Amino acid sequence: MCQCKIQRFVCNMLQENCYIVSDETRECVIIDCGAFYPEEKKAILQYIRENQLIPKHLLATHGHLDHNFGNRFIYDEFGLKVELHRDDADFIANYEEQAEKFFGLAAIDPLPEPARLLTGDDIIEFGNHRLTILETPGHSRGGVFYYCEAENVCFSGDSLFQGSIGRTDLMGGSMFMLLESLKKITKLPENTVVLPGHGPQTTIGKEVATNPFLES
């Protein structure tokens, strides 16, 4: 099996990481499309077209707006609606409140309703690959990791960063729940690559060894 190709795009005023993951079939998934500015949307669209990719899923690791600004753009271009954990559906429904409260935006492109509300039992399939869903509540109630065992990589959203973890002072956040969630994540192979929602990539082993929030 060929390895996945993973392309990162850094988006919006919070420098959020959007990932496009594809394989030899050219099918792809788009994870956390936070594209806000026109040049960000243009870069994502250009990458997909130049590589002749076929987007199959638009996924969100959680419902915070900085990870979902581009949902309307993806829907308009490819007809895909976001899939996210059912416990974060309210964030998408109340996107205007998020826009005003956290970003001072009076209006943004309307976000389409989710295509599917996920649970930990769901599997995301594209091309010759599959992503399993690891529930990691704490940063938000519906935070998840998308884990590709075949490629030894996971997409952690804002649950785990290099040397840190996500904030827990927003609606639905819980430090206790997040720390409990990450205890399960540390059981992944230590060489598993972690691609977070902000900042550089890391590995499970590095975070277990050096991240102060993961100390046993």
Side-chain angles (χ1 to χ4, degrees):
M1 181 181 295
C2 298
Q3 288 189 340
C4 278
K5 182 176 181 180
I6 302 174
Q7 182 68 36
R8 181 179 72 144
F9 297 86
V10 180
C11 297
N12 68 57
M13 60 288 288
L14 294 188
Q15 299 290 284
E16 178 268 346
N17 292 331
C18 168
Y19 299 97
I20 298 180
V21 189
S22 60
D23 69 9
E24 69 276 14
T25 69
R26 293 184 179 167
E27 291 190 353
C28 71
V29 296
I30 303 166
I31 301 176
D32 284 352
C33 189
F36 179 78
Y37 299 109
E39 59 269 25
E40 297 163 355
K41 298 175 184 178
K42 180 180 178 181
I44 289 171
L45 188 58
Q46 181 176 343
Y47 176 80
I48 291 172
R49 287 178 172 170
E50 287 183 352
N51 289 278
Q52 299 180 312
L53 299 182
I54 307 165
K56 301 299 290 186
H57 298 275
L58 171 61
L59 306 174
T61 56
H62 61 294
H64 291 159
L65 190 54
D66 57 314
H67 294 253
N68 292 275
F69 273 127
N71 290 2
R72 167 59 62 177
F73 150 66
I74 296 298
Y75 176 71
D76 289 343
E77 292 290 343
F78 305 107
L80 293 178
K81 296 181 179 180
V82 74
E83 301 168 52
L84 79 167
H85 195 278
R86 62 185 180 185
D87 289 343
D88 268 11
D90 286 350
F91 283 120
I92 301 299
N94 299 318
Y95 71 91
E96 291 174 306
E97 180 181 344
Q98 283 197 75
E100 183 175 359
K101 182 176 180 181
F102 297 108
F103 299 96
L105 299 172
I108 65 168
D109 292 340
L111 300 188
E113 293 182 0
R116 180 163 61 146
L117 299 179
L118 304 170
T119 72
D121 295 325
D122 288 305
I123 301 291
I124 305 296
E125 295 183 329
F126 68 102
N128 294 319
H129 286 78
R130 54 169 39 195
L131 302 174
T132 55
I133 297 169
L134 308 178
E135 295 172 307
T136 56
H139 175 64
S140 67
R141 289 189 300 270
V144 302
F145 275 46
Y146 293 107
Y147 175 51
C148 184
E149 183 177 6
E151 301 291 343
N152 205 30
V153 63
C154 61
F155 301 85
S156 64
D158 287 1
S159 296
L160 180 64
F161 303 124
Q162 183 186 79
S164 189
I165 61 174
R167 61 188 293 183
T168 58
D169 59 330
L170 301 175
M171 185 179 73
S174 165
M175 177 65 77
F176 173 79
M177 290 181 67
L178 184 54
L179 294 178
E180 289 297 302
S181 296
L182 293 176
K183 286 180 182 178
K184 296 179 292 183
I185 297 303
T186 60
K187 300 186 185 303
L188 294 175
E190 64 178 22
N191 62 342
T192 301
V193 174
V194 178
L195 296 173
H198 302 268
Q201 72 180 49
T202 184
T203 65
I204 292 293
K206 179 178 180 180
E207 295 313 302
V208 169
T210 64
N211 191 317
F213 293 98
L214 301 188
E215 293 179 353
S216 58

